[in-house]
């Protein structure tokens, strides 16, 4: 199983970016998908998650600015980030809780990370 994240880059404060993360490989089912981020010199923190039914949750600091969505047919999760602030600068890691076989419990997989830099 692999998760491939893309879409990071340099953006000015107030700008927008859209991250994508596609899961591939031997996948029976995916429950939760989402994103963590790690700012320079800090620990990795949860940002947002979405269930396979579409229920979402967000850390307070991004509510109203970030929107998570997923395409179950493509095993892909997206993160639309608007009104970006310098404090959003971090490496963003996607995750997915994946069962590789019908009778297996799901395990959490992480993508390789994509850097988002918000700076003028």
């Amino acid at each position: 199983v692999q998760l491939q994240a893309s879409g990071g880059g340099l953006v000015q404060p107030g700008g927008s970016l859209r991250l994508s993360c596609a899961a591939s490989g031997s996948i029976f089912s995916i429950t939760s998908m989402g994103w963590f981020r790690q700012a320079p010199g800090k620990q990795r923190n949860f940002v947002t998650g979405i269930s396979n039914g579409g229920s979402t949750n967000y850390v307070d600091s991004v509510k109203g600015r970030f929107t998570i969505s997923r395409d179950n047919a493509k095993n892909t999760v997206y993160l639309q980030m608007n009104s970006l602030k310098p404090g959003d600068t971090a490496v963003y890691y996607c995750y997915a809780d994946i069962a590789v076989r019908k009778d297996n419990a799901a395990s959490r997989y992480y993508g390789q990370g994509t850097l988002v830099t918000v700076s003028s």
Side-chain angles (χ1 to χ4, degrees):
V1 174
Q2 289 187 330
L3 272 66
Q4 181 67 46
S6 61
L10 173 63
V11 63
Q12 292 186 342
S16 298
L17 280 176
R18 188 186 192 219
L19 307 183
S20 300
C21 176
S24 62
S26 179
I27 297 172
F28 174 76
S29 66
I30 302 177
T31 51
S32 296
M33 303 183 81
W35 299 87
F36 282 74
R37 68 185 178 185
Q38 186 168 18
K42 296 188 177 180
Q43 66 182 17
R44 188 179 299 188
N45 292 317
F46 174 81
V47 177
T48 179
I50 183 169
S51 71
N52 55 0
S55 298
T56 60
N57 60 320
Y58 299 89
V59 66
D60 285 347
S61 60
V62 307
K63 286 180 179 177
R65 301 188 297 121
F66 290 11
T67 303
I68 189 171
S69 61
R70 64 190 281 176
D71 184 331
N72 291 331
K74 296 181 178 179
N75 291 334
T76 299
V77 63
Y78 305 97
L79 182 61
Q80 178 66 43
M81 304 185 294
N82 298 328
S83 302
L84 282 160
K85 305 175 181 180
D88 296 316
T89 295
V91 177
Y92 284 71
Y93 296 91
C94 60
Y95 72 88
D97 295 334
I98 298 173
V100 297
R101 296 183 182 85
K102 180 179 180 180
D103 296 329
N104 282 21
S107 296
R108 179 157 290 182
Y109 294 83
Y110 286 93
Q112 83 283 9
T114 185
L115 177 62
V116 172
T117 303
V118 184
S119 176
S120 55

